Amino acid sequence: MESIEQFFERQLAVWPDTRKRYDDLKNIKTRKVGELVLQFNPARMVSTGAKIDKTTLEKRPCFLCSVNRPKEQIITDLGEAELLVNPFPILPQHFTIPLKQHEPQNFASLAIYIDKVLDIAPNMMVFYNGPHCGASAPDHAHLQAGTSGLLPLQSLWRKSVEWHTTKHGTEIGLVKEYACPVFVTICTQPFQMEKLEWLTYDFNLISWIENDEKITLIIPRGKHRPECYEQGVLVSPGALDMGGLVITPREDDFNNIDACTATGILREVGITMNEAEELIQHI
């Protein structure tokens, strides 16, 4: 069976524009601001600036539907979903996993593909943007995947996690000293959607394998975009931003955002610690 790395190289070999974006990514500017990292990525303006109101979505062709994709784009079949190379990368290897059927962004339809992707690519991470949490195609259900280990939160969560036992006897962690509250689960079993029935907020999710265990970070969201977005600071946080890799498609924002501003953006669009602790009481 073809590895995910072989599939990635096969795609770049027949799609010069996308190969160039991945080559450009190798020289992209990054800057550490406190515990977070800024990435200057002008190619991401398409996603960061995307309008996702109902009227706009109804008027534009869905770019995740097979009939609207570039002729150069190839697939790996995953059953009811497909693995695609993302043509506008943030990560050295970056994939999109859309369902074949056009249906709204909905984690319940996607959860089983976390394990499917991690089974064929255990060195990757899989992530999810809720419909109002950074998804630029909230009208078509999809996950994303990519190179693991590049998000500050993948290590930072361990510094301040507080573990709680749920009424089902499972353990869930609450990260208390990050920019916003983050929930953590660690398991070796397939992902079970019912484990998220307590979550009453839209959310981002990041999942990866470490030491044969699947670590999943769940980041509940209170807002889609921060106030500064309307004032011209183009940061529209998705899962990677919430994981500490903040994407700035404009160079002015990359140069001007400091640690306080970056942390404040994540804090503003997350939920409060009081809200997180209230959720813990009902798990």
Side-chain angles (χ1 to χ4, degrees), residues 214-253:
K214 182 169 66 226
I215 300 173
T216 301
L217 306 179
I218 302 154
I219 310 167
R221 294 285 294 271
K223 290 178 67 174
H224 176 205
R225 285 169 169 160
E227 291 295 329
C228 65
Y229 185 90
E230 300 301 327
Q231 299 162 8
V233 179
L234 294 188
V235 175
S236 183
L240 299 185
D241 306 81
M242 300 306 289
L245 181 61
V246 180
I247 310 306
T248 59
R250 297 196 326 170
E251 193 164 18
D252 282 352
D253 296 334

Side-chain angles (χ1 to χ4, degrees), residues 21-31 37-44 89-92 245 247-249 254:
R21 292 190 198 102
Y22 278 93
D23 286 342
D24 290 345
L25 194 67
K26 296 172 184 175
N27 300 311
I28 213 157
K29 293 180 183 177
T30 60
R31 185 164 67 86
V37 175
L38 300 180
Q39 182 190 93
F40 171 48
N41 191 335
R44 292 298 298 184
I90 295 171
L91 303 166
L245 181 61
I247 310 306
T248 59
F254 174 78

Side-chain angles (χ1 to χ4, degrees), residues 12 15 18 26 58 61 67 129 138 157 163 166 173 197 213 235:
L12 295 194
W15 201 353
T18 295
K26 296 172 184 175
E58 287 175 348
V67 295
N129 293 325
W157 70 268
W163 292 99
T166 71
E197 289 177 348
E213 294 180 317
V235 175

Side-chain angles (χ1 to χ4, degrees), residues 6-18:
Q6 290 170 326
F7 168 70
F8 178 77
E9 290 301 329
R10 185 162 62 90
Q11 174 64 93
L12 295 194
V14 298
W15 201 353
D17 288 348
T18 295

Side-chain angles (χ1 to χ4, degrees), residues 79-100:
E80 296 302 312
E82 296 171 321
L83 181 75
L84 313 172
V85 172
N86 191 316
F88 297 98
I90 295 171
L91 303 166
Q93 291 188 343
H94 193 161
F95 304 89
T96 304
I97 305 105
L99 294 184
K100 292 178 181 177

Side-chain angles (χ1 to χ4, degrees), residues 109-273:
S109 301
L110 296 164
I112 62 169
Y113 294 100
I114 293 176
D115 293 293
K116 284 193 176 186
V117 173
L118 291 177
D119 282 347
I120 64 173
N123 60 327
M124 296 284 163
M125 62 179 169
V126 180
F127 51 102
Y128 168 78
N129 293 325
H132 301 289
C133 300
S136 55
D139 54 334
H140 195 129
H142 65 286
L143 297 168
Q144 295 183 66
T147 310
S148 188
L150 300 181
L151 303 183
L153 186 55
Q154 285 186 275
S155 56
L156 288 175
W157 70 268
R158 295 182 183 276
K159 294 183 179 180
S160 63
V161 64
E162 182 181 275
W163 292 99
H164 300 262
T165 302
T166 71
K167 58 187 177 184
H168 302 293
T170 57
E171 294 288 307
I172 187 163
L174 175 58
V175 180
K176 307 199 75 170
E177 294 180 13
Y178 185 60
C180 59
V182 178
F183 292 99
V184 185
T185 65
I186 300 178
C187 67
T188 56
Q189 303 301 315
F191 197 93
Q192 296 176 354
M193 182 58 203
E194 58 268 23
K195 289 185 176 180
L196 291 184
E197 289 177 348
W198 52 272
L199 189 53
T200 54
Y201 295 86
D202 206 355
F203 62 95
N204 298 110
L205 179 146
I206 306 161
S207 191
W208 73 97
I209 302 294
E210 190 174 312
N211 298 324
D212 296 324
E213 294 180 317
K214 182 169 66 226
I215 300 173
T216 301
L217 306 179
I218 302 154
I219 310 167
R221 294 285 294 271
K223 290 178 67 174
H224 176 205
R225 285 169 169 160
E227 291 295 329
C228 65
Y229 185 90
E230 300 301 327
Q231 299 162 8
V233 179
L234 294 188
V235 175
S236 183
L240 299 185
D241 306 81
M242 300 306 289
L245 181 61
V246 180
I247 310 306
T248 59
R250 297 196 326 170
E251 193 164 18
D252 282 352
D253 296 334
F254 174 78
N255 291 330
N256 294 330
I257 290 175
D258 58 15
C260 182
T261 302
T263 301
I265 287 171
L266 302 195
R267 181 177 296 116
E268 181 184 348
V269 300
I271 64 173
T272 67
M273 188 55 67

